[in-house]
Amino acid sequence: MSRISTKSWFDRWSNEYDRTLGSIGFHRALLDLVVKNSGVRSGDSVLDIGCGTGLLSLKFLEAQDCVITAIDNSENMMAIFKDKIRRLGIGGNVTVRTMDAARLTFGEKSFDRAVSSVVLHHLKEKVRPLRGIYKVLKPGGMLIIGEVDMDSTGSHRDSGRLERMLKPLTEEWVAALDDAGLEAFTKMYENGIKHILNRGEYCLSLEQWAGVCRKAGFSRVTVKRVPHYKYFGIVAAEKTTGKA
Ligand SMILES: C[S@@+](CC[C@H](N)C(=O)[O-])C[C@H]1O[C@@H](n2cnc3c(N)ncnc32)[C@H](O)[C@@H]1O
């Protein structure tokens, strides 16, 4: 498998994304869990970090009349989302921008909610980007991260690490085949190998994510798992009112 950048990986995946990962039941369940635990209210400003083809943003708009700013660094993924926005006539509620999740350029205290699903594990360094997210949240604002619960730290030569990673990956591959067919299985298999080799993928357990959130300044950090698929879940964290 050749080494390509994360941006090129998603640029190439974009046309198949919605019928592969986007069609697997546990991914849909993860998006629902993010929305459900966000406490989003009508009129809230929501930052969707790594929006891709817009699946999470669209779930937020189904749930609440909020105002979404969606960022990503893959032009091709965003092109698909922009096309959906045009077709659905929801341009008044969503703005899509090219931006690196690790270098947000928004002003301080801009958003009520920052949300992200299966994106932040692409960042090798975690605490500094999360401090960046903390800054752009309003006091009382919340971060909700949807992620795979998979600790990929350690040496590639450690068989214990591989054994640990194969549990979530195997369940993911079976679900891909069951829910979305051979194309999805093949894509998720390739994706899994990238995870094992840490090629643009640096996954943590949900508890490790909770620790990163605390280090970045967040409080009231909680972890919840997707029903019927224990390897996907969310970490919700609050920017306590009054903190800078
Ligand atoms: C697995 S997809 C998830 C998309 C969407 N959140 C969802 O759940 O369907 C990961 C997305 O993160 C984006 N991404 C990865 N690294 C990024 C970065 N450093 N900055 C911005 N976007 C990034 C990719 O381009 C891709 O669209």
Side-chain angles (χ1 to χ4, degrees):
M1 180 188 276
S2 60
R3 268 177 197 274
I4 61 168
S5 70
T6 300
K7 181 185 165 349
S8 304
W9 171 255
F10 281 105
D11 276 341
R12 289 184 201 176
W13 188 357
S14 56
N15 283 324
E16 301 164 49
Y17 185 83
D18 282 2
R19 58 175 196 266
T20 53
L21 180 56
S23 295
I24 303 175
F26 66 72
H27 180 255
R28 296 277 170 174
L30 181 69
L31 304 180
D32 288 333
L33 197 66
V34 172
V35 176
K36 191 174 160 198
N37 286 275
S38 69
V40 66
R41 298 153 304 187
S42 174
D44 273 355
S45 50
V46 178
L47 174 63
D48 180 3
I49 302 163
C51 59
T53 62
L55 300 177
L56 182 61
S57 288
L58 294 175
K59 288 268 184 193
F60 267 91
L61 287 175
E62 272 170 31
Q64 202 51 270
D65 183 21
C66 51
V67 180
I68 298 189
T69 304
I71 65 144
D72 204 287
N73 65 358
S74 158
E75 303 294 342
N76 293 2
M77 293 289 274
M78 283 185 295
I80 290 172
F81 187 20
K82 285 177 188 167
D83 189 47
K84 290 179 188 173
I85 294 169
R86 219 172 10 252
R87 282 188 286 115
L88 294 167
I90 52 172
N93 282 80
V94 197
T95 310
V96 182
R97 290 180 59 177
T98 306
M99 202 180 288
D100 188 334
R103 278 177 284 278
L104 301 180
T105 57
F106 302 106
E108 286 188 25
K109 304 177 187 172
S110 297
F111 299 100
D112 298 294
R113 299 287 180 268
V115 299
S116 188
S117 95
V118 278
V119 175
L120 296 177
H121 69 262
H122 292 294
L123 307 179
K124 193 168 184 181
E125 211 276 299
K126 315 273 198 259
V127 178
R128 198 191 310 202
L130 259 65
R131 284 197 182 121
I133 298 172
Y134 185 92
K135 263 193 183 170
V136 302
L137 275 171
K138 296 177 188 173
M142 275 179 74
L143 166 67
I144 303 96
I145 301 173
E147 269 296 341
V148 57
D149 188 6
M150 182 164 68
D151 174 6
S152 70
T153 58
S155 163
H156 294 171
R157 288 183 176 74
D158 173 7
S159 60
R161 168 185 180 271
L162 188 55
E163 214 172 301
R164 186 172 79 217
M165 292 184 71
L166 281 174
K167 286 183 183 162
L169 288 175
T170 309
E171 292 221 9
E172 189 179 291
W173 295 332
V174 170
L177 193 57
D178 258 8
D179 296 354
L182 191 57
E183 183 188 33
F185 170 79
T186 309
K187 195 71 201 178
M188 297 321 292
Y189 187 78
E190 277 180 46
N191 198 47
I193 293 171
K194 283 175 85 262
H195 282 70
I196 291 168
L197 299 176
N198 291 127
R199 293 196 173 161
E201 320 275 347
Y202 311 96
C203 292
L204 296 178
S205 71
L206 294 177
E207 290 304 334
Q208 287 169 330
W209 275 113
V212 173
C213 287
R214 289 188 194 98
K215 264 195 193 156
F218 288 94
S219 42
R220 297 195 188 127
V221 182
T222 54
V223 171
K224 283 189 187 152
R225 273 155 232 280
V226 163
H228 316 302
Y229 186 74
K230 64 179 179 182
Y231 297 115
F232 254 33
I234 61 135
V235 178
E238 210 175 302
K239 175 168 178 171
T240 311
T241 310
K243 279 197 187 173

